[in-house]
Amino acid sequence: MSEVEREARSVLAREFLLHEGGPCRIKLCGMSRERDIAAVNACLPDMVGFVCDFPTSRRSVPSGEMGRLAGQVSERVYTVGVSVDLPFGRVAYNANRHADIVQLHGHEDATYISGLRTRMAGGIIQAFRIRSRTDVERALASPADMVLLDAGQGSGTTFDWSLVEGFGDRRPFILAGGLTPSNVAEAIAALHPWGVDMSSGVETDGSKDPNKMAAAVAAVRRTHG
């Protein structure tokens, strides 16, 4: 993909995040192997995530490997580079070469996001760990294109959904944390998120499970008939 084509796709990815309404979108996250990408291309979620340069996560891949894997993803799926407290110049560098969207999962603030925005054209998702009303208010105030509400960094558990009842009336959001093919439809019906994100919920014994990935995508699609 040429630099011009890369930038044009990044612009489309940001527009995708900013588009309200429509069916619930689905993101599958934490891909680290070629077989994971084959499963993604078979079930075609809207977005696929790669945890980049975060060694404490078993799902982390180096930026070069993220680029190699992202290059194998169907053009029908937007790629998301997930980072935790990396310098924004490094995140933008990776995004401009390897990912359509970046997802910030650390302590990044408005100044960080502003600096990142000047260096990349793609979409920006900011993740928030929801434990209190204060966390909810922080998420509502985020200058990112989209916010993701989670229980923690890949914790695989749900948070208290009552904390975010009505959140979608104030701004669109992606729901994460403990979602599986079995409970994702219930979550969508209860909270009406813009999108949902699954990682550990589509794994078996710590590895991505193609059958669970396909079941998750199908379960979300069924919520809209």
Side-chain angles (χ1 to χ4, degrees):
M1 187 180 295
S2 70
E3 185 175 335
V4 172
E5 291 171 328
R6 173 80 259 165
E7 183 171 358
R9 182 171 171 87
S10 294
V11 170
L12 288 175
R14 188 181 186 203
E15 291 175 353
F16 167 76
L17 287 183
L18 293 172
H19 181 74
E20 298 186 28
C24 186
R25 292 77 170 176
I26 181 166
K27 173 175 171 278
L28 300 181
C29 199
M31 306 303 148
S32 60
R33 307 169 302 172
E34 289 190 2
R35 70 183 71 174
D36 300 340
I37 306 306
V40 165
N41 291 340
C43 65
L44 295 174
D46 299 289
M47 296 172 282
V48 60
F50 301 89
V51 179
C52 183
D53 295 331
F54 187 53
T56 60
S57 171
R58 60 180 171 80
R59 303 180 183 96
S60 179
V61 294
S63 58
E65 180 66 1
M66 178 181 75
R68 188 182 73 83
L69 293 172
Q72 299 175 25
V73 175
S74 166
E75 292 186 358
R76 297 169 62 182
V77 180
Y78 287 115
T79 55
V80 182
V82 181
S83 63
V84 182
D85 295 325
L86 292 178
F88 61 72
R90 185 172 166 191
V91 173
Y93 180 91
N94 288 337
N96 289 332
R97 285 154 181 80
H98 307 314
D100 305 313
I101 295 166
V102 299
Q103 179 176 312
L104 309 175
H105 231 295
H107 300 87
E108 300 86 356
D109 58 13
T111 300
Y112 181 107
I113 292 173
S114 177
L116 186 57
R117 172 57 61 210
T118 65
R119 289 164 170 79
M120 58 168 283
I124 300 174
I125 300 170
Q126 185 174 21
F128 291 87
R129 183 179 180 184
I130 303 299
R131 294 164 292 182
S132 68
R133 296 290 181 185
T134 299
D135 298 323
V136 172
E137 292 303 318
R138 287 177 54 242
L140 285 168
S142 170
D145 301 317
M146 178 62 61
V147 294
L148 181 147
L149 311 182
D150 199 356
Q153 294 172 343
S155 66
T157 59
T158 58
F159 61 88
D160 181 359
W161 288 351
S162 69
L163 290 171
V164 296
E165 288 179 358
F167 189 103
D169 295 332
R170 301 175 70 180
R171 74 174 293 173
F173 70 100
I174 297 171
L175 180 66
L179 298 180
T180 70
S182 299
N183 69 8
V184 68
E186 175 191 355
I188 293 169
L191 298 176
H192 308 291
W194 178 92
V196 291
D197 188 350
M198 286 178 257
S199 184
S200 59
V202 291
E203 293 178 346
T204 298
D205 298 329
S207 295
K208 290 293 179 288
D209 184 321
N211 292 327
K212 289 183 179 179
M213 291 166 67
V217 172
V220 176
R221 301 286 188 252
R222 281 197 300 271
T223 64
H224 297 275

